[in-house]
Each structure stands twice: as C-alpha cells, then as structure tokens.
Amino acid sequence: MRSAVGMTCLAAGITLAGCGSAVDPAAEREALLAADRAFAQATAERRLEGWVEAFAEDAIMMRPDEPFSPGLDAVRGYMAGAFADTSWTISWEPELAFVSSAGDMGYTLGRYRTRGLDAAGAEMLGAGKYVTIWRKGQDGRWRVVFDGGNPDTQP
C-alpha cells in the first residue's frame, strides 16, 4: 500500500511540475518587450553602463568591416566612443517580439533614433531599424546575446 500511495504522489508531482512549466506565449512576448523598454530606459539614464548591463557575457554586436568579437569587453569597446560624446543620444522602441516555444530565446524588432552634434556644433540625426536577440537566464532575466541594426537612408 505504501508503494501505491508513493507512486500516486510521484505521478501527481510529475504532472504538476509539467503543468507549471507551460509557456504562455503572449505573456513571454510582453515580458520581452518590457525587457527591451527597460534596456532603452537604462541606457537613457546611465548611458554606457546602462547599455552594457543588458548584455550576456557572450554577447555579440555586429560591427561594420570587423570580425565578430563576442563578450562584454567588445560590446563596451564598440559603444564607448559614442557614449563618450555627451551630445550623442540613442533611443528606441520595440515594435515586435517573438519568443521560442520553450520561452528561453526571443528577439525584438524596432526603430531607433540617434542625435548628436558634429565638430561645428551642427545637429546630426540618425534613424534606423534594429533586431536584438535575447536569451532568458536561469534567474528568469532576459539578456541581449546579439544586437544589430541598419540605418535608414533618410533620418
């Protein structure tokens, strides 16, 4: 009798564990959009540090005319010059989010804008589209694993 009760409890436990791991696609997409918006807000507030903190340790950013360089040092190095210019800002808004059926990978698509001053003090505007690929960590936090964009021909 003990083993029958034990097997029933074991089966119930496995069933409940399985039910708890179901992914709600709509909720995961909203969580990913919220993570992207929080990334934009942190970047607006803390500039380079806000940018870098959103990335995973093995993240990659595409750089024109350069090989892929994974890691936070490469991410920091790529963006350090832009953020060193105190007149330069970047803002973005995600428009779409897609999440894997397992709920552990996803990507966001959106539009970005940049603004700064050239050496003569004239305003320089930029705009374009981006894709950011995200991975959910063991802590449940979404982190950027790839970021890339392309500028529009007319800001």
Side-chain angles (χ1 to χ4, degrees), residues 25-129:
E28 287 299 328
R29 280 191 302 274
E30 286 305 314
L32 188 50
L33 287 167
D36 200 342
R37 289 184 188 109
F39 176 26
Q41 183 68 32
T43 300
E45 292 172 358
R46 295 191 326 282
R47 301 187 51 81
L48 181 61
E49 294 310 312
W51 178 269
V52 173
E53 84 174 6
F55 284 79
E57 293 287 331
D58 57 348
I60 294 175
M61 289 183 63
M62 279 198 316
R63 299 173 61 159
D65 303 318
E66 302 241 353
F68 292 111
S69 298
L72 291 178
D73 288 340
V75 169
R76 180 181 297 281
Y78 181 60
M79 295 301 290
F83 284 111
D85 176 355
T86 58
S87 76
W88 186 82
T89 60
I90 185 169
S91 60
W92 66 90
E93 179 67 29
E95 295 177 9
L96 300 168
F98 300 88
V99 177
S100 69
S101 60
D104 60 347
M105 294 288 295
Y107 62 97
T108 52
L109 301 163
R111 301 194 56 74
Y112 70 87
R113 294 195 173 279
T114 60
R115 183 179 185 161
L117 301 175
D118 67 13
E123 185 176 59
M124 298 183 324
L125 300 174
K129 295 170 284 308

